[in-house]
Amino acid sequence: MLGGAIWCTGQLAVVPIVQNIGIAKGLIIWGSTAMLTGWACSVFGLLGVTSQAAGVQSWALNLSGLALALASLSVSLLLRPLGREGGGERERRGECPLEQILLNSKQGTPMDEPRHNLNQDTPMELAKRETCVWLAPRDNVQGRGACLALVAGLFFGTNFNPSQYIIDRAGSPPWLDASVHGLDYVHAQFSGILLASTIYFVVYAALHRPPTILPEVALPAIMSGIMWGVADSLWFIANEKLGFVVAFPIILAGPGIVASSWSIFYLGELRGSRNFMLVALISVLVVAGAMLLSLSRVDYNT
C-alpha cells in the first residue's frame, strides 16, 4: 500500500505540471527522471531495493545508455510549449487544447466565466472557445513546472520499492510467507492508491469549497484508470522477469514519445520546426538509451 501512496502523491503534481509546461514536456521530464531513479535504485541498491548490479554484463553499454537518458532529459528542458512568443513575457491568447481547459481548476477559468458555466458545457464546446489564457510563458513558471516534473519523477521511480523490498526478503523473517511474484502485490498497490487518493480528495474538498468537479472527464478518467491498471500490472511482471535495470528503461521509453505525438498532432501545444526537431532528437535519445540499458544485461558469452 505504501507504493500506491507514493505513486498517488506524485500524481498530485501532474495537473500543475500540465498547466505550466504542457503534457509532452512534463511527461518527458518525469518519465526520464523515473527511469534514472529506477536504474539507480536497482544498480546501487537504494531505498530498500537489493542491488541488481550483478546482472549487468556490460557496464560500457549500461553507462552509455544512462548518458543518453540524461541527454534526453537535458534536451527536454529546451522545449517551448505554445505560449512563448519570441521570448516575450505576455500571455498568449488563442485556441486552447482540450486538456488545458478541463484540467484548469483555478479561480480564473477560461474567459473568466463562472464555474457553473464550465460544468454545463460539453468538452467539445469548451475546446472550441476562441479566447483563453494558454500556458504562462514566464521563465519562472516554466521552471516551476520543470521542477515539479522532476519531483514527480522521483515518486514514480520509487513506487515499486516497497513491494520489491518484501520480494527481495521473501522467505526470511519477518517475510517468511511473502510471495516472490509481482502480481501478488498488485492488489496492495492499488489499495494504497485508492486510500491515498481518497484522503487527498477529502483534504482538497475541505480546503477548496465548493470543490471543482467536471462531469465531462468522469468516463475518460475511468477508462484511463482501467488502461493504466492493466499496464501497471504488466509492469510488476516485467520487474519480476527483467529487474528494474531493464524494465524501467524499456517501459518508460515510450510514454514521452506518445505524449509528444498527442501534443503535436492533436493538442497543438508543440508547434514550430524547433520543437519538432527537439522532439525527434529526444525520441532518438530515449529509445537508444533504453536499448543500450537493456542490452547491458545480455550475456554475450553464452
Side-chain angles (χ1 to χ4, degrees):
M1 292 182 68
L2 178 59
I6 291 174
W7 180 88
C8 187
T9 303
Q11 283 290 323
L12 294 177
V14 169
V15 171
I17 290 171
V18 172
Q19 289 176 333
N20 287 332
I21 61 177
I23 188 173
K25 184 174 181 178
L27 205 154
I28 290 172
I29 293 176
W30 80 58
S32 299
T33 305
M35 178 194 298
L36 296 174
T37 303
W39 175 89
C41 289
S42 63
V43 171
F44 300 110
L46 303 177
L47 301 178
V49 177
T50 300
S51 175
Q52 302 171 3
V56 177
Q57 302 298 323
S58 173
W59 282 103
L61 291 177
N62 195 275
L63 294 177
S64 297
L66 176 64
L68 291 179
L70 286 171
S72 69
L73 177 60
S74 300
V75 174
S76 67
L77 298 176
L78 301 177
L79 288 171
R80 293 181 179 177
L82 186 64
R84 297 182 64 91
E85 290 189 348
E89 294 261 337
R90 71 178 184 276
E91 292 176 340
R92 175 173 180 172
R93 292 183 177 272
E95 294 183 357
C96 276
L98 179 59
E99 43 81 54
Q100 170 66 13
I101 303 172
L102 294 182
L103 293 179
N104 191 347
S105 60
K106 297 181 179 179
Q107 182 66 32
T109 55
M111 297 185 69
D112 297 325
E113 293 186 357
R115 293 178 183 272
H116 67 274
N117 288 340
L118 181 62
N119 288 334
Q120 290 175 352
D121 292 332
T122 65
M124 291 308 297
E125 289 172 341
L126 291 170
K128 292 179 180 178
R129 296 194 185 281
E130 295 182 352
T131 57
C132 62
V133 177
W134 176 227
L135 302 175
R138 294 180 296 276
D139 291 336
N140 62 332
V141 175
Q142 294 287 314
R144 182 166 63 246
C147 290
L148 284 173
L150 289 171
V151 173
L154 293 175
F155 281 95
F156 297 149
T158 56
N159 79 96
F160 291 104
N161 286 31
S163 58
Q164 192 63 38
Y165 177 89
I166 299 176
I167 292 174
D168 291 339
R169 292 159 179 79
S172 60
W175 315 106
L176 294 175
D177 298 323
S179 172
V180 296
H181 300 295
L183 280 179
D184 293 331
Y185 297 85
V186 170
H187 181 267
Q189 183 90 345
F190 291 2
S191 297
I193 294 173
L194 177 61
L195 177 61
S197 60
T198 301
I199 293 174
Y200 289 143
F201 180 77
V202 171
V203 173
Y204 163 74
L207 298 177
H208 191 282
R209 306 187 65 179
T212 301
I213 301 176
L214 301 177
E216 294 88 349
V217 303
L219 184 58
I222 292 174
M223 295 176 61
S224 176
I226 293 174
M227 294 170 61
W228 176 88
V230 173
D232 203 54
S233 299
L234 296 176
W235 197 337
F236 271 96
I237 298 177
N239 287 340
E240 175 186 345
K241 302 298 182 182
L242 303 175
F244 284 15
V245 70
V246 174
F248 266 76
I250 293 177
I251 293 172
L252 291 171
I257 299 174
V258 174
S260 298
S261 300
W262 276 90
S263 297
I264 293 173
F265 299 109
Y266 183 72
L267 300 176
E269 69 179 26
L270 291 179
R271 298 179 183 177
S273 58
R274 181 182 184 276
N275 280 331
F276 295 162
M277 293 176 62
L278 288 176
V279 167
L281 177 59
I282 291 169
S283 300
V284 172
L285 291 174
V286 169
V287 172
M291 290 179 61
L292 291 177
L293 286 168
S294 301
L295 293 174
S296 68
R297 200 177 180 186
V298 177
D299 187 356
Y300 296 96
N301 296 322
T302 58

